[in-house]
Amino acid sequence: MRVALWAATIIALHGAAPSAASAQDLGPDAPVAAEQRYQVGRILYAQGKFAEAAREFAIGRDFYPSSPRLAFNHGRCLERSGDLRAAIGAYRDYLKLVPEAADRAEVEQTVAALEKLSAAPLVEVRVRSVPPGAPVWLDGVIVEGVTPLTVKARPGRRVVQVGEAPATRTVEIDVAADAPNELTVALAAEAEAPDEPAGPALGGAAVPAPAR
């Protein structure tokens, strides 16, 4: 796979890692419905289902619009799902809710990087699998067709899932704006993929767990 490193600042999700957490993660004044959506969103995020997690955080914000944690997490998931303009808006909402946030400089740097990326056109990513004929998901959203196929994506960090259980692989790639983007994934242990590496496997440490 030929990819380029992404220069945008990557910051972790706000909140503790998904567990048997207290029902007060959003604070004692949080509506129960907002807390429930927050917990579901954290789990989906940890699974790499960023678009689905973003929807959960968005609903949580409808119930509890004054929550900076929900605003930040919503922005984080929108960023990872490729909805950069919406992510910028959510991050700015977070900064409005917490003007003196300790991570303000980091978030502002992320916003600046996303503004630059959002102005870049979509680029092509060629996805192949061994064996071929596998479905593909980009940032948790299924792509029309099966491998080999070409998908359009914004430059930056993307999560690609190829195949269905039990033969499935999920990888993180950095999509380059100015170089070919090719991904080849071996779905069976006995299958040999071409020489291009498929990229790092996505595991528990690859997707940042909630940190605040």
Side-chain angles (χ1 to χ4, degrees):
M1 175 179 57
R2 296 190 289 273
V3 295
L5 294 177
W6 185 29
T9 301
I10 300 298
I11 37 187
L13 209 62
H14 284 206
S19 61
S22 164
Q24 303 299 315
D25 281 357
L26 294 181
D29 297 327
V32 172
E35 182 68 38
Q36 290 173 339
R37 296 295 184 172
Y38 170 72
Q39 299 295 343
V40 173
R42 291 164 60 208
I43 293 170
L44 290 169
Y45 179 88
Q47 294 172 346
K49 299 177 180 178
F50 304 123
E52 294 177 42
R55 287 193 288 272
E56 292 298 324
F57 288 127
I59 296 171
R61 293 184 68 188
D62 288 340
F63 287 112
Y64 195 24
S66 63
S67 170
R69 179 170 289 180
L70 280 170
F72 181 95
N73 290 353
H74 187 207
R76 181 71 170 111
C77 291
L78 289 167
E79 176 188 350
R80 295 305 300 272
S81 66
D83 193 347
L84 305 188
R85 297 309 308 178
I88 290 168
Y91 282 140
R92 285 175 172 162
D93 289 343
Y94 165 73
L95 294 176
K96 289 177 184 176
L97 291 167
V98 193
E100 304 301 323
D103 58 354
R104 185 177 187 89
E106 293 176 72
V107 177
E108 288 177 338
Q109 184 178 353
T110 296
V111 167
L114 294 182
E115 286 177 331
K116 182 177 180 180
L117 282 173
S118 67
L122 295 174
V123 297
E124 292 186 345
V125 180
R126 185 67 174 167
V127 182
R128 299 180 178 88
S129 68
V130 181
V136 175
W137 287 259
L138 176 67
D139 292 323
V141 179
I142 192 165
V143 176
E144 184 177 353
V146 294
T147 57
L149 57 76
T150 299
V151 59
K152 296 272 192 176
R154 291 198 181 279
R157 181 66 57 86
R158 306 267 74 87
V159 175
V160 180
Q161 177 185 331
V162 182
E164 296 180 289
T168 183
R169 284 285 308 279
T170 303
V171 297
E172 272 195 342
I173 65 173
D174 291 298
V175 176
D178 54 0
N181 296 283
E182 299 179 3
L183 173 65
T184 300
V185 175
L187 297 177
E190 63 273 14
E192 292 186 3
D195 292 337
E196 293 175 325
L202 180 64
V207 176
R212 301 191 194 106

